[in-house]
Amino acid sequence: MEDSPSIVKVDRGENQISPCRGRRCLPKALGYITGDMKEYTNWIKDKPQVLQFIDWVLRGISQVVFVNNPISGILILVGLLIQSPWLALNGYVATVVSTLTALLLSQDRSAIAAGLHGYNATLVGILMAVFSQKGDYFWWLLFPVSVMSMTCPLFTSALNSIFCKWDLPVFTLPFNMVLSMYLSATGCYSPFFPSKVIKPVSSVPNVTWPDLSGLELLKSLPVGVGQIYGCYSPWTGGIFLCAILLSSPLMCLHAAIGSLLGMIAALSISVPFEDIYFGLWGFNSSLACIAIGGMFMALTWQTHLLALTCALLTAYLGGSMAHLMAVVGLPACTWPFCLATLLFLLVTTQNPNIYRMPLSKVTYPEENRIFYLQARKRMVESPL
């Protein structure tokens, strides 16, 4: 009986330690599935090639929004399935074909593993299905989708050889080039693969401000993010935001802010409300805000303001390019995002707080900021 108190004390001590261990384990567990999942990447290197290939494809799907995370890729694929299984199928097939082509062309294996040779094809496959007059489940469309996806690594590799001189990313320029080439070649009168008719505005739009719906504006925020993948469902856009959040809360915040700024820009020039509700003014500015707000520039309050400015400029540029390209029957795609963001990345300044990340060191905003702070500390300690 004398030993009982000591036993009780030991039990109480163990009960006190276990909750602390649980609290420590939760952030550690989250660390394995957030960011770019570096531990998982190292673990899968010696696993069967099929598993590695699936990982590369999923990362390619998520890299459209600068996310290098296979779980985010799964979430995005789920969002596409909710929007349309046909779109999801085309996007997945295109990513698989493009990744295989990059392997056959012996492209840099680390770039393939990060999904950098898949994301442009993801957009090509989805948007070819979106702009097809034949509608859903026109199975013959998978043939041109596969062929055009094979050209994406060619454009990516060629553009990389040029842009590397300025240490710039190619963004979605290959997607823009491939899709514009395909839609120009087929057109709306093609007997095999007709595309939807895109006409320029020919009359003054009827904009009645009392008809503006606050609920629809609220829904247009996730829809703007969803339109990055050509989706107009707010549920799909919400899932995409969750996929981005899993990798980086800062990226998710800037994605939402960018979509909001695109909406504000549209309202400021009295754009038809249907275009705003459909998210057509949100996706380019959302991408631009992510790119400048911590992804390719280390996040400071100066680069945050720069990201907001870039998002607004991208939205207005998107409106002007949509009118210009409609004259030749083509969509603006993500040309506005690419041109505006590259312009901002090429800006030179003596301000040390506006720091462009070396392309080889880019991961995700939180990690990028750590790299920037360490680099700045080294410069302060040894200015020479």
Side-chain angles (χ1 to χ4, degrees):
M1 292 297 291
E2 292 179 357
D3 294 333
S4 299
S6 62
I7 294 173
V8 172
K9 288 178 181 178
V10 171
D11 289 342
R12 284 176 181 173
E14 289 176 353
N15 290 336
Q16 289 171 355
I17 291 171
S18 59
C20 296
R21 287 176 178 169
R23 284 196 294 269
R24 284 197 297 268
C25 287
L26 182 60
K28 188 177 180 180
L30 284 174
Y32 286 124
I33 62 172
T34 55
D36 55 4
M37 292 181 64
K38 189 179 296 182
E39 293 82 1
Y40 174 76
T41 303
N42 296 329
W43 174 81
I44 204 173
K45 282 180 179 178
D46 58 350
K47 296 300 180 287
Q49 195 71 36
V50 174
L51 289 178
Q52 293 186 50
F53 185 79
I54 294 172
D55 175 67
W56 301 343
V57 171
L58 291 174
R59 289 178 189 267
I61 292 171
S62 65
Q63 278 284 10
V64 174
V65 285
F66 309 112
V67 171
N68 183 15
N69 187 309
I71 298 180
S72 295
I74 293 172
L75 288 175
I76 290 169
L77 202 56
V78 169
L80 289 170
L81 286 168
I82 291 173
Q83 175 68 56
S84 167
W86 177 240
L87 295 186
L89 176 63
N90 278 272
Y92 187 81
V93 168
T95 312
V96 168
V97 172
S98 181
T99 305
L100 283 172
T101 305
L103 285 170
L104 291 174
L105 292 173
S106 299
Q107 296 299 296
D108 180 62
R109 185 59 68 94
S110 62
I112 297 174
L116 297 179
H117 283 284
Y119 70 95
N120 278 292
T122 303
L123 290 177
V124 167
I126 293 172
L127 271 297
M128 282 177 64
V130 167
F131 287 107
S132 173
Q133 269 192 35
K134 295 288 188 177
D136 292 352
Y137 304 108
F138 176 59
W139 297 103
W140 286 106
L141 185 66
L142 291 175
F143 175 70
V145 163
S146 300
V147 172
M148 301 310 294
S149 299
M150 292 172 67
T151 66
C152 288
L154 300 175
F155 280 98
T156 301
S157 181
L159 288 171
N160 269 327
S161 65
I162 299 172
F163 283 29
C164 67
K165 298 176 181 178
W166 299 278
D167 200 32
L168 290 172
V170 299
F171 290 133
T172 52
L173 283 173
F175 151 69
N176 289 317
M177 294 177 177
V178 171
L179 186 68
S180 297
M181 180 173 62
Y182 170 78
L183 294 178
S184 299
T186 54
C188 57
Y189 298 113
S190 171
F192 297 134
F193 306 107
S195 57
K196 292 179 180 177
V197 179
I198 299 174
K199 294 181 179 180
V201 178
S202 57
S203 61
V204 179
N206 183 20
V207 178
T208 308
W209 286 96
D211 294 338
L212 185 64
S213 170
L215 178 61
E216 291 297 325
L217 284 179
L218 184 63
K219 286 164 58 178
S220 70
L221 195 149
V223 170
V225 177
Q227 281 289 4
I228 295 173
Y229 287 86
C231 300
Y232 54 84
S233 167
W235 296 106
T236 296
I239 292 174
F240 292 168
L241 282 170
C242 291
I244 300 171
L245 176 65
L246 179 67
S247 176
S248 166
L250 288 175
M251 287 177 67
C252 182
L253 175 65
H254 282 88
I257 291 174
S259 182
L260 176 64
L261 290 173
M263 179 204 313
I264 293 172
L267 290 172
S268 70
I269 56 175
S270 193
V271 170
F273 299 148
E274 292 76 15
D275 292 348
I276 301 174
Y277 300 157
F278 205 60
L280 298 181
W281 278 73
F283 67 96
N284 274 303
S285 54
S286 183
L287 286 171
C289 201
I290 297 173
I292 302 298
M295 193 65 196
F296 295 96
M297 285 189 172
L299 186 62
T300 60
W301 69 265
Q302 290 93 337
T303 53
H304 176 69
L305 294 178
L306 206 62
L308 304 186
T309 306
C310 183
L312 281 172
L313 175 65
T314 303
Y316 290 122
L317 181 61
S320 63
M321 291 197 69
H323 288 298
L324 287 173
M325 296 189 72
V327 175
V328 292
L330 292 175
C333 298
T334 57
W335 284 108
F337 149 67
C338 292
L339 298 178
T341 308
L342 287 172
L343 175 68
F344 273 70
L345 290 178
L346 286 169
V347 169
T348 57
T349 177
Q350 297 298 319
N351 189 337
N353 294 313
I354 300 177
Y355 179 79
R356 180 154 71 91
M357 292 288 300
L359 206 55
S360 60
K361 302 297 183 182
V362 170
T363 51
Y364 53 95
E366 290 83 357
E367 193 72 21
N368 292 343
R369 178 164 172 79
I370 293 173
F371 175 85
Y372 158 70
L373 293 175
Q374 291 174 344
R376 187 174 179 179
K377 184 180 179 182
R378 287 193 298 268
M379 289 176 63
V380 171
E381 291 175 350
S382 56
L384 298 178

